[in-house]
Amino acid sequence: MPISLATGSAPDFVLTSEGGAAENLSGFSAWTVTVMEALGPLGVGFMVFLDNIFPPIPSELVLPLAGFTSSQGQMNIVLAIVCATLGSLIGAIILWALGKWIGIERIARIAVKMPLVDVDDVHKTVDWFDRHGDKAVFFGRMIPIFRSLISIPAGMRDMRLAKFVALTTAGSAIWNTILIIAGFYLGENWAVVETYAGYFQKIVIIAVVVFLIVWIVLKVRKHRRKRAAGIDDSRADVIEPGEFDS
C-alpha cells in the first residue's frame, strides 16, 4: 500500500514497496531514497559510510528516513541500526588510517607554517587530545562535522585500533539508534528530526566560528606584544624529529 510522506521543506511524495519514492524528489534526497529502496539496510550503512567520508552528506536525513521506513514494515529496524553503525565504523577506520599515515609530525610541520600558529599551539592541541582523546572520540561521534574529523587526530596520535573501534562503535551506535528510533516513532513526521538536527549543526558551526575568531584575536595581540617587546620567536616554526613522541 502506498505510504504518504510529507515534509515541510520538500514536496509530498509516495514511498511504495515497489520503489518510485524518488520520482517526486530531487537532488540528494531522491538519491538517498533510491539507494535505500534498492539495498535496504545495506543502503543505510552505505549512506552513513559516505557521511563519515564526506561530512556534507547528512546522516540526519538518512537515519530518520530509515526509521520511518522501518515503521512501515519495509525494513528491519535492528538491521538498519546495525548496518548504520557498521557504515560509521568503516568510514571512521579509513580516516583513522589516514591520520596514522599522515602522522602528527608531518601535519605539525604544515601547521606551523600557517599564520599565527607556532609549535606551542601544536603541543597544546596534542596534550589536550592525549588527556581527553577517549572522550573526544566517543562523544565526537554524536556531534555534526566532528563526527568524521575526530578520527583523523586519533590516528595521528596512534590511538590503539581496538580502543578506537570500541569507542567509535559505542558512540555511533547511540547516535544512529536515537535518530532511527526517532524516525520510527515520528512516522510521517520523520523530517522533524532532520530539522532539529540541522539546528544543532548550525549551533556547532557558530560555536566553531566564534572560537576561531576569539583565537585569532588573542593570537594577533600576543604576536603584537612580542614584537613590541623585541622578542625573537624565529624558532616558533621549528619541529624537531621525535618532538611529539609519547
Side-chain angles (χ1 to χ4, degrees):
M1 180 176 67
I3 302 164
S4 175
L5 176 61
T7 74
S9 58
D12 292 357
F13 64 92
V14 176
L15 184 61
T16 68
S17 59
E18 296 81 17
E23 291 180 359
N24 297 313
L25 288 176
S26 61
F28 179 76
S29 297
W31 185 58
T32 298
V33 173
T34 300
V35 171
M36 289 175 56
E37 286 180 340
L39 302 178
L42 291 177
V44 178
F46 175 69
M47 297 306 300
V48 173
F49 164 77
L50 292 182
D51 169 52
N52 279 261
I53 300 299
F54 189 63
I57 292 179
S59 63
E60 292 82 0
L61 168 66
V62 177
L63 296 175
L65 180 54
F68 168 73
T69 306
S70 299
S71 74
Q72 305 303 316
Q74 298 184 339
M75 185 184 299
N76 183 291
I77 190 170
V78 174
L79 285 178
I81 293 172
V82 169
C83 288
T85 302
L86 283 174
S88 298
L89 179 59
I90 294 171
I93 289 175
I94 291 175
L95 293 178
W96 174 89
L98 176 63
K100 186 177 178 65
W101 175 75
I102 293 174
I104 186 63
E105 282 195 16
R106 185 181 301 176
I107 201 67
R109 293 180 192 280
I110 296 174
V112 296
K113 300 299 181 182
M114 300 172 63
L116 304 179
V117 179
D118 54 37
V119 175
D120 188 51
D121 296 320
V122 180
H123 273 290
K124 288 179 180 178
T125 303
V126 170
D127 290 343
W128 181 91
F129 190 86
D130 288 344
R131 292 194 306 272
H132 305 290
D134 292 3
K135 295 188 289 290
V137 171
F138 175 75
F139 289 107
R141 301 304 307 176
M142 308 175 210
I143 302 176
I145 301 174
F146 290 97
R147 183 164 54 242
S148 299
L149 299 180
I150 194 61
S151 302
I152 297 177
M156 287 180 177
R157 283 311 280 161
D158 204 19
M159 177 181 283
R160 289 188 300 107
L161 182 58
K163 177 191 284 189
F164 177 75
V165 167
L167 293 170
T168 298
T169 300
S172 299
I174 292 172
W175 176 256
N176 296 338
T177 299
I178 289 173
L179 293 191
I180 290 176
I181 289 180
F184 183 92
Y185 284 107
L186 284 171
E188 295 184 2
N189 296 315
W190 64 271
V192 171
V193 181
E194 182 193 1
T195 299
Y196 283 97
Y199 294 153
F200 180 37
Q201 180 170 332
K202 288 182 176 66
I203 291 172
V204 171
I205 293 173
I206 291 172
V208 170
V209 171
V210 170
F211 171 81
L212 288 175
I213 291 173
V214 171
W215 181 83
I216 291 171
V217 170
L218 293 177
K219 292 295 290 185
V220 168
R221 289 179 177 177
K222 179 181 176 181
H223 279 254
R224 285 178 176 174
R225 286 196 298 269
K226 284 185 176 181
R227 284 199 301 269
I231 298 175
D232 180 18
D233 60 352
S234 59
R235 290 189 57 81
D237 61 349
V238 176
I239 302 292
E240 302 294 340
E243 187 163 343
F244 298 97
D245 290 348
S246 300

